[in-house]
Amino acid sequence: MARLSRLTLPGQVHLVTHRGNNRQPVVLDDEDRQTLLDLLSEQALRHRVALHAYVLLPAGLYLLLTPSTADGVPAMMQSVGRAYVRRFNARHGRSGTLWEGRYRSTLIQPERYLLPCMCLMDMEPVNEGLCNDPAGYAWSSHRHHAGQGHERRLTPHPLYWALGNTPFAREAAYAEMVHRGLTAQQMGAIRDAVWHGWALGDPGFIESLQRDTTRRLTPSRPGRPKKQVSED
């Protein structure tokens, strides 16, 4: 079955993931990580895409983005992918592909899934055994949102600001949310949606998106389509 085209709409929050080819590392040291992060920041600014949260992992990355234009996210990711591969290959004396084909993405309903997506991203380094606590990992946006650092590259989403009336209250509320973690159902829904490209939200959210695109937003129902009954 042909792969669905990626869904991208201006003003909507996109959860994006990109992996190394055959799960090979896409970063080998902190210089690679800084190069990749700087490229993401530069191209987000260039293509008018708000970067809300990120995590860089040995074999891939997750991003939360809101584009101002319909081609903002694709243009940003294409620019980052090409520039980074050139620099990575030149620095490490290699050639050929680095990424596993195209990036994957989904649109999420912010009210239901923005903060859970941020929590999932923050916990990925722990899940991969890279640290014991999200605060111990330098290559994610967790420290910024938990009040342990500041990154000008980030554009906090209004729902993050709504966590508290003061910076301390917001940061404490967010840190507690990450500490509580997500249910297996939440994690499964987010990972399945971004991997397959299905929009993630309640029926009203899906219906509102469908008005702006002819692209299918949810999985087809299993089974064969019903036959039309002739009235002759």
Side-chain angles (χ1 to χ4, degrees):
M1 182 173 60
R3 184 182 295 180
L4 286 172
S5 61
R6 280 189 299 262
L7 177 63
T8 178
L9 293 172
Q12 297 290 342
V13 180
H14 296 58
L15 175 63
V16 172
T17 187
H18 210 2
R19 293 182 178 179
N21 190 40
N22 293 324
R23 297 184 180 272
Q24 69 180 357
V26 296
V27 290
L28 298 181
D29 55 26
D30 283 353
E31 185 172 338
D32 286 342
R33 294 180 183 91
Q34 191 62 57
T35 296
L36 180 54
L37 186 55
D38 288 345
L39 282 170
L40 288 166
S41 303
E42 292 166 7
Q43 295 304 320
L45 183 63
R46 176 186 176 190
H47 295 288
R48 297 170 57 203
V49 177
L51 173 61
H52 303 305
Y54 72 89
V55 60
L56 307 185
L57 301 164
L61 54 81
Y62 281 94
L63 308 169
L64 269 177
L65 309 168
T66 298
S68 299
T69 63
D71 63 350
V73 171
M76 170 190 166
M77 295 303 295
Q78 182 181 71
S79 298
V80 170
R82 289 177 175 175
Y84 181 70
V85 170
R86 287 196 300 268
R87 298 186 192 186
F88 184 88
N89 285 354
R91 181 166 183 256
H92 296 292
R94 68 184 298 277
S95 61
T97 187
L98 178 66
W99 300 106
E100 185 183 62
R102 62 183 193 168
Y103 71 90
R104 295 174 183 265
S105 67
T106 185
L107 300 190
I108 66 166
Q109 182 179 8
E111 295 79 6
R112 293 189 64 175
Y113 287 105
L114 179 110
L115 294 171
C117 283
M118 290 171 62
C119 292
L120 181 146
M121 292 163 63
D122 287 351
M123 288 301 298
E124 284 295 276
V126 178
N127 296 335
E128 293 195 11
L130 303 173
C131 58
N132 294 321
D133 184 271
Y137 192 69
W139 301 99
S140 82
S141 51
H142 174 80
R143 290 180 176 179
H144 175 91
H145 294 119
Q148 298 166 342
H150 178 70
E151 294 193 61
R152 294 181 63 183
R153 72 183 83 242
L154 295 172
T155 303
H157 192 276
L159 288 171
Y160 168 77
W161 284 97
L163 288 174
N165 293 325
T166 66
F168 178 80
R170 284 191 293 273
E171 293 154 3
Y174 181 74
E176 175 59 26
M177 184 179 302
V178 175
H179 177 73
R180 290 198 306 268
L182 304 178
T183 66
Q185 183 178 11
Q186 285 176 308
M187 291 188 291
I190 293 170
R191 287 178 172 144
D192 187 62
V194 71
W195 185 251
H196 292 100
W198 307 124
L200 187 58
D202 62 29
F205 175 73
I206 302 298
E207 183 180 349
S208 69
L209 290 182
Q210 197 68 80
R211 300 190 194 106
D212 296 322
T213 180
T214 58
R215 192 260 207 193
R216 186 157 48 91
L217 301 180
T218 57
S220 299
R221 293 183 179 180
R224 295 182 177 179
K226 294 181 179 180
K227 293 182 178 180
Q228 296 292 326
V229 179
S230 173
E231 297 180 356
D232 295 340

